[in-house]
Amino acid sequence: MFKLPTHETKTLVAVHGWSAVILGFLLYAVVLTGAIAVFAHEIGHWSVGRSDANPIFAQPLDAHVKTTMASIPEEYREEVFVADSPLGNLRVWAHTHRKRDGGGLQEFGILTEIDPQSGTVVSRREGWRTDVFGEEPARALERFFVDVHVQLHLPRPWGLLLTGILGLSMMVAAISGLLIHRHLLRDIFTLRRRKATLVSSRDEHSVAATWGLPFAFLLAFTGTFFSFAISLGLPMITMVAFGGDQAKMLKTFTGAPAIVDNRPAETSNLDAILYGARARTGAAEVAWLSIQNYGRKDALVTVRHEPATAGLEPKTLVFSGVTGDFEKEKPRIGVEPSLGSAIFSTMGPLHFGNFAGVISKSLWLALGFSSCFMIATGLSLWLRRRADQPGWRWFSVTTAVVIYGLPLCLAASAYGFLFFYPSAAALHAPAAAFLICAALVCAYGVWLRDPESIETRLMFWLGASLFLLPLVRVATGGPGWLAALDAGALDAITIDIALALGGLSCIWLAYRGMRRGGRHDAVDVIAGMTARPMPSHGRAAQ
Amino acid sequence: MSVDPTLTLAFLCCAVSFAAIAGLGLTDPKSRRISRMLLPARIKAARTMLGVTAVLPGVLLLWLTEAVAFLIWLGFVVLAGWLVALVLAAIRET
């Protein structure tokens, strides 16, 4: 498609390959966990057996919120955030903003969790937002997957900066790949896999990458935007435009109340406001509700909706907190609609794929897995080109361990959570189980030393662990299928089925790989079970 | 049960593009040459038509400013094209 001079093509091939060799493993980790994180909420529901039959915002909540707020001190009425808890309870976070030692402004207040049916208080905690919300075992597995994807489980801002750099490297790989492939459209269906050759490896990578190019670029761009916006963009804007005044920046971004009136006033009926909000958004699902200046004349109620089926942007509606009248649709940034705000608000749905429910999410999951395949075949191609260089042998062992070991470690993190939930130990169990499994997988790889054996065996263990996860979920106290059906916990059943089918597929692929003498690259096994002999020197080959 | 017009439109566009992509895959000259299969006559004009048919639903959705349907269509086309290439390669080998 593009005809560059030979020297420039060689330079781009080197940039494309070396960037993948240096950052490919981390990029693979981010992309794989990103694909899984598309269904993070559903995984969270699955892990605790939560039912979605009666969403919080479909039930009357006005009386519960007002009863709760009656016992909340005045200082925490600056903002009240209402949402659902990981277990499906009503959660009221009444808070103010305070400067925390060694950091910027942070929310400080009282978090109350209420049973939406009976109205009884389930729990009540006071403290900083990160501490109060961070101590929730029920969300530990979901948070772990998201945290690995967002910042590779590293402290902020370093993890965000690293994932931002990885996003940039993915964009570099996409652009350089586009430029170095001379026959992009002519080769779009060309897969020569009858013989295990360099050509077959190249075909597998180029076909997957050519088709996946638009989404690889889209996801890398939006992901890089989020990583750098949080770690670099916002702090820089605060310093440059607001002289470091975080409160001023927040007020400009979110919009301060037009008129300050601190006289006491009864807050309007929240159920009526929610009814009106639904009518204006075509019954789009409500994500959260917040009340600014609760119990005052200038109170404002903000209702955030998920994107409606026909819309890409999530809508945010503002109502008067006293009369309940609709005031305006609020842009994500600033107080007036702008192109910047419109672009910013579409970034999320484009990256998370949550704009058309389970259909778009399933597509994004599959696209994430296809990107993983693209990275794996790219590394495989790089190694095939160096199959006769002994120096790359350990890199091929490492590649097999990372590509097949990482999903196994993620499955192990789910086991860790299920074994320890609901105790407080479940907070750290996913990370601990992940690290223990990673150490075992590394030791297994060093012991086997043969990449092909590592691939097929890890594939088998992955299949077995995925297949057994639903049984372990039920054995550790989760609802069985009948109970889940009864309670409307459909996420639990759907994910159980997906895990069982995924597990069986992995076992079958591993069986096919092993039956062919363990001399196959399992990436090939996924692609179509083609023979690809590689030199076998490991323990398993002896 | 109500039918969502955006999703219905997206599914229709996906179906049209999928048929065209499958046609493009079946008549791919390079793959057929590698598999020593004959190339039908006037293949170039037919492939051009198929190429236009594969892309047209996306253009239509953009013209209608159906962003959600367009993204669903684009995601589907990406996956469908790759899967068609994989399946046809597997069939040709057997």
Side-chain angles (χ1 to χ4, degrees), chain B residues 25-94:
Chain B
L26 285 167
T27 57
D28 182 47
K30 194 167 177 181
S31 305
R32 291 182 80 93
R33 204 164 48 238
I34 292 162
S35 315
R36 299 194 182 94
M37 292 161 83
L38 284 176
L39 273 172
R42 291 183 190 170
I43 192 75
K44 203 170 176 183
R47 282 180 59 75
T48 308
M49 283 295 291
L50 285 171
V52 171
T53 312
V55 177
L56 204 62
V59 178
L60 177 80
L61 292 173
L62 279 179
W63 184 61
L64 295 171
T65 61
E66 286 281 357
V68 169
F70 174 77
L71 283 169
I72 291 173
W73 170 83
L74 188 61
F76 176 83
V77 163
V78 164
L79 289 170
W82 182 47
L83 290 176
V84 164
L86 283 175
V87 170
L88 288 179
I91 291 170
R92 279 174 188 142
E93 279 161 21
T94 51

Side-chain angles (χ1 to χ4, degrees), chain A residues 126-474:
Chain A
E126 185 172 358
W128 295 102
R129 182 191 177 96
T130 45
D131 299 338
V132 170
F133 282 80
E135 294 164 4
E136 293 177 315
R139 204 161 259 177
L141 185 62
E142 178 187 340
R143 270 177 202 268
F144 176 72
F145 286 143
V146 173
D147 191 55
V148 175
H149 172 62
V150 171
Q151 51 191 11
L152 287 166
H153 215 58
L154 295 171
R156 285 193 181 197
W158 307 112
L160 285 168
L161 287 172
L162 183 56
T163 50
I165 291 167
L166 290 171
L168 282 179
S169 80
M170 193 166 165
M171 280 195 278
V172 167
I175 293 166
S176 55
L178 177 71
L179 293 173
I180 59 182
H181 199 133
R182 291 195 175 190
H183 308 294
L184 196 79
L185 292 177
R186 202 189 297 171
D187 290 348
I188 204 161
F189 289 106
T190 308
L191 270 173
R192 287 159 287 191
R193 301 178 307 153
R194 193 164 291 164
K195 288 178 185 170
T197 60
L198 185 65
V199 173
S200 63
S201 286
R202 196 197 68 99
D203 282 353
E204 273 175 6
H205 179 60
S206 69
V207 168
T210 305
W211 283 106
L213 194 68
F215 270 86
F217 193 86
L218 178 82
L219 298 179
F221 179 79
T222 48
T224 307
F225 170 81
F226 282 122
S227 288
F228 284 144
I230 299 167
S231 61
L232 280 178
L234 282 175
M236 275 172 70
I237 290 169
T238 314
M239 288 307 294
V240 174
F242 300 94
D245 189 342
Q246 213 179 351
K248 198 173 161 188
M249 187 269 289
L250 278 173
K251 273 188 179 171
T252 308
F253 268 39
T254 56
I259 306 155
V260 177
D261 187 346
N262 55 12
R263 285 176 295 168
E266 180 79 9
T267 300
S268 180
N269 188 306
L270 298 175
D271 297 329
I273 288 176
L274 283 167
Y275 182 80
R278 268 192 222 96
R280 286 176 182 276
T281 54
E285 198 182 323
V286 176
W288 50 258
L289 176 151
S290 114
I291 310 158
Q292 262 181 298
N293 301 330
Y294 182 88
R296 281 174 31 173
K297 274 259 186 199
D298 58 356
L300 287 175
V301 177
T302 306
V303 183
R304 163 69 70 77
H305 294 262
E306 301 289 2
T309 321
L312 201 56
E313 285 184 59
K315 288 196 180 219
T316 309
L317 305 181
V318 180
F319 296 81
S320 161
V322 178
T323 62
D325 294 340
F326 173 71
E327 295 217 336
K328 61 177 179 179
E329 184 177 335
K330 190 186 168 310
R332 284 292 293 276
I333 301 174
V335 286
E336 294 297 330
S338 64
L339 181 64
S341 176
I343 293 172
F344 181 76
S345 52
T346 52
M347 284 282 187
L350 283 177
H351 191 71
F352 310 130
N354 60 353
F355 50 85
V358 77
I359 294 167
S360 56
K361 281 186 172 188
S362 303
L363 275 173
W364 256 237
L365 174 78
L367 289 162
F369 283 148
S370 82
S371 296
C372 291
F373 185 86
M374 193 166 68
I375 297 167
T377 50
L379 288 168
S380 172
L381 174 60
W382 175 272
L383 287 167
R384 182 153 296 281
R385 283 187 173 138
R386 288 152 187 81
D388 55 344
Q389 297 175 24
W392 285 96
R393 174 139 195 88
W394 275 106
F395 188 76
S396 68
V397 171
T398 313
T399 303
V401 166
V402 173
I403 299 293
Y404 297 91
L406 184 67
L408 182 59
C409 294
L410 291 173
S413 66
Y415 278 99
F417 175 83
L418 291 174
F419 283 131
F420 286 96
Y421 181 76
S423 74
L427 277 172
H428 304 292
F434 181 93
L435 290 175
I436 291 167
C437 183
L440 290 173
V441 166
C442 289
Y444 193 49
V446 170
W447 184 67
L448 285 173
R449 284 184 293 171
D450 176 45
E452 296 75 45
S453 301
I454 294 168
E455 287 162 5
T456 46
R457 290 175 194 207
L458 287 183
M459 179 73 100
F460 171 78
W461 288 116
L462 173 64
S465 57
L466 291 179
F467 186 77
L468 292 174
L469 257 177
L471 300 176
V472 173
R473 182 185 67 78
V474 176

